[in-house]
Amino acid sequence: MRNSADTRQKILSSCVQLFATKGYAGTSMNDIISKIGISKGSVYWHFKSKEDIFVKMITENYAEWINLVNSQLEHVQDPIEKLRKYGELFIATVDMPVWRISPETYWNEFSEENQRILDECFSLDDQIILEIFQEAIEKDLLRDTDSQQLTWTYLSCLEGMFEKIILSYKKEDGLMEKYESFAKNAIELFISAITK
């Protein structure tokens, strides 16, 4: 049983870098089998398809991200500081290979079941931020009291900055660090604009 779990994890771990390098559409099952060095039957024993591998890889890595966020925010009392900390974590993890392939979940068609799994996965960030904004509103710290609009705006801003940084990834020395600095300043600008 342990060997089976190890093999499954080996497949998922190996595929992160493979998908990050070649993309979801550019990666075949033969690429996966060659990269891992195990039989096709063994891969199919653990996963139904390339899509299944991709979705499991995304959801497991996303669970690690959510655990990181929760562990970093659990001792922060001030909701404004939670927003700041979340934004900084969001930008600081931009170099994780799984984040470079996450946008492909929007560009490729997946089965209805897998799309539901991905939607539930990605909605976890929305819920965390929504709850922080609701807490800030209850403490009368914000100018606006529409927690859903604030959540949508904040995450949209972060995702836009995130994409800009990803697009510059390894293109020019120092550019990524420069954009990360811009992002940190933008987070401060957003927070100062919404707080009383």
Side-chain angles (χ1 to χ4, degrees):
M1 184 69 160
R2 178 76 183 137
N3 191 27
S4 179
D6 289 345
T7 301
R8 181 184 183 281
Q9 199 53 49
K10 179 181 178 184
I11 295 167
L12 289 174
S13 299
S14 297
C15 285
V16 172
Q17 200 59 48
L18 190 57
F19 284 129
T21 304
K22 298 184 81 169
Y24 175 75
T27 301
S28 69
M29 282 300 279
N30 285 336
D31 293 330
I32 292 168
I33 292 160
S34 295
K35 170 87 174 164
I36 300 164
I38 60 176
S39 72
K40 183 182 278 192
S42 184
V43 173
Y44 280 111
W45 173 259
H46 296 281
F47 301 97
K48 295 182 282 191
S49 62
K50 176 179 83 165
E51 179 180 315
D52 189 36
I53 295 170
F54 186 78
V55 170
K56 295 273 189 315
M57 183 196 60
I58 292 284
T59 55
E60 287 192 9
N61 278 273
Y62 217 85
E64 290 176 20
W65 157 249
I66 294 299
N67 288 337
L68 172 66
V69 169
N70 288 332
S71 71
Q72 293 293 310
L73 298 184
E74 70 180 333
H75 300 296
V76 179
Q77 299 302 314
D78 177 21
I80 304 304
E81 189 55 37
K82 285 181 186 178
L83 290 172
R84 182 176 288 113
K85 183 70 172 173
Y86 175 90
E88 290 171 359
L89 281 170
F90 195 91
I91 298 302
T93 61
V94 73
D95 59 344
M96 290 174 61
V98 71
W99 296 145
R100 293 199 300 279
I101 57 176
S102 292
E104 293 199 51
T105 62
Y106 301 107
W107 305 330
N108 291 283
E109 289 190 23
F110 296 104
S111 70
E112 190 175 317
E113 174 63 14
N114 278 333
Q115 193 58 59
R116 183 192 60 74
I117 290 168
L118 290 168
D119 290 346
E120 285 178 7
C121 175
F122 295 141
S123 72
L124 297 173
D125 280 297
D126 295 32
Q127 191 58 43
I128 289 170
I129 298 302
L130 180 68
E131 289 172 7
I132 295 171
F133 275 121
Q134 288 170 341
E135 180 185 357
I137 289 166
E138 287 170 14
K139 293 183 176 180
D140 197 30
L141 300 173
L142 304 178
R143 296 174 193 212
D144 191 340
T145 58
D146 186 338
S147 58
Q148 288 184 327
Q149 180 175 324
L150 287 164
T151 298
W152 184 88
T153 304
Y154 189 50
L155 286 174
S156 295
C157 291
L158 289 173
E159 288 168 1
M161 291 185 281
F162 194 88
E163 288 300 318
K164 183 74 172 170
I165 295 169
I166 285 177
L167 292 173
S168 70
Y169 188 74
K170 292 187 178 178
K171 286 188 179 174
E172 184 182 310
D173 285 343
L175 188 59
M176 191 166 156
E177 291 81 11
K178 181 177 172 181
Y179 282 161
E180 286 176 355
S181 175
F182 286 171
K184 190 171 182 177
N185 290 336
I187 291 165
E188 288 304 318
L189 184 63
F190 177 85
I191 289 173
S192 67
I194 64 167
T195 53
K196 290 185 174 181

